[in-house]
Amino acid sequence: MSRFLNPELAKIEAYIPGEQPRDMKYIKLNTNESPYPPSPSVLYAANEEEIKKLRLYSDPESKELKNALAALYALSPKNICVSNGSDEILNFAFLAFGKNKSGSGAVFPKITYGFYPVFANLYGIEAERIPLRDNFSINPDDYINKNKLTVIANPNAPTGISLTKEEIRKIVSSNPDGVVVIDEAYVDFGGETCYELIKEYDNLLVVRTFSKSRSMAGARLGFAFASEAIIEDLEKIRYSTNPYNVNRLTQLLGIKALEENDYYIKNCERIIKTRENTAKALKELGFTVLPSKTNFLFAKSEKISGEKLYEELKKRGVLIRHFSDPEISNFNRITIGSEEEMTIFVDKIKEILRLPKTLGGIQL
């Protein structure tokens, strides 16, 4: 780093995204992308005429996209903010609500999405990081009456475990003087959404993404639901940083994806089925697999360390996500790919563990 960097920023440990190696062809089960392409109309929307329009700025209000989201989720466009990936809204939330009239501070699980502590450090927000239960679930009682910026991924990452809508309600209702952010990046894979609670609570912000269930990770499109007042806060920050944050093509592709929502629902159902079959196969191989409501599994084996399994799979062309945190270092996060990819993944594990190929098969 240069000698000109703000010393406070120099201390920050940046977020580390999942690796994207190019040295060989891999089965990528490490970044929670969808194994299925976007819907047909999305594929055909980026035509020559639309590409020519890239000489023009995008609509800073994203009116058509907001209207499409409002129609699908039965909300007012005034309750919706769209962003360059859901991380941008999370960034805005820490900046906007980490320090307020009632005080300063944020609270989130100790084991969760790695960007939360990064944002807290970036803005000098004191963060309380609450341990998970022994079974890696979040205890809602730990978040009662905090009245700080409370941020919970639901389902949680990297564990995949989900809270119920009523458990979220309990947290939101007990923190009237602090914004509660529920990050629902993975909710479409079996979790229970709480977005309708924004009609009851003015301190709830629900964050979503097109990256996972809508097969558009590369388009960078996120959105959020909240009271009109909270949306106005987020828009104030957006217009103070990058009003053209969502490009023309991404806005168009987002609208097309929403028009074919049934296509994505069916893909989620396919991924859920593959997830359950893969979990069953891993358990037959002796793995501990946490109950997942996401498009990934969090699993460990007593026969091999998490790091060693990650390394051996990578040698064989399969990428999974390993975390160095000692509390979860024996686990790995495994994205659910296609049925074929997950069969290869399980076969490679058998090869590494020298187990018979007839054991732990995936029933498609």
Side-chain angles (χ1 to χ4, degrees), residues 70 101 275:
K101 292 180 180 178
R275 180 189 73 205

Side-chain angles (χ1 to χ4, degrees), residues 39 72 213-214 256-269:
S39 56
L72 180 60
S213 60
R214 289 192 173 94
K256 294 300 182 182
L258 295 171
E259 290 174 354
E260 295 184 302
N261 197 53
D262 287 347
Y263 169 86
Y264 297 102
I265 291 174
K266 290 178 181 177
N267 280 348
C268 288
E269 291 171 350

Side-chain angles (χ1 to χ4, degrees), residues 36 265-275 339:
Y36 304 113
I265 291 174
K266 290 178 181 177
N267 280 348
C268 288
E269 291 171 350
R270 294 170 69 186
I271 290 169
I272 290 169
K273 181 180 178 182
T274 306
R275 180 189 73 205
E339 291 91 342

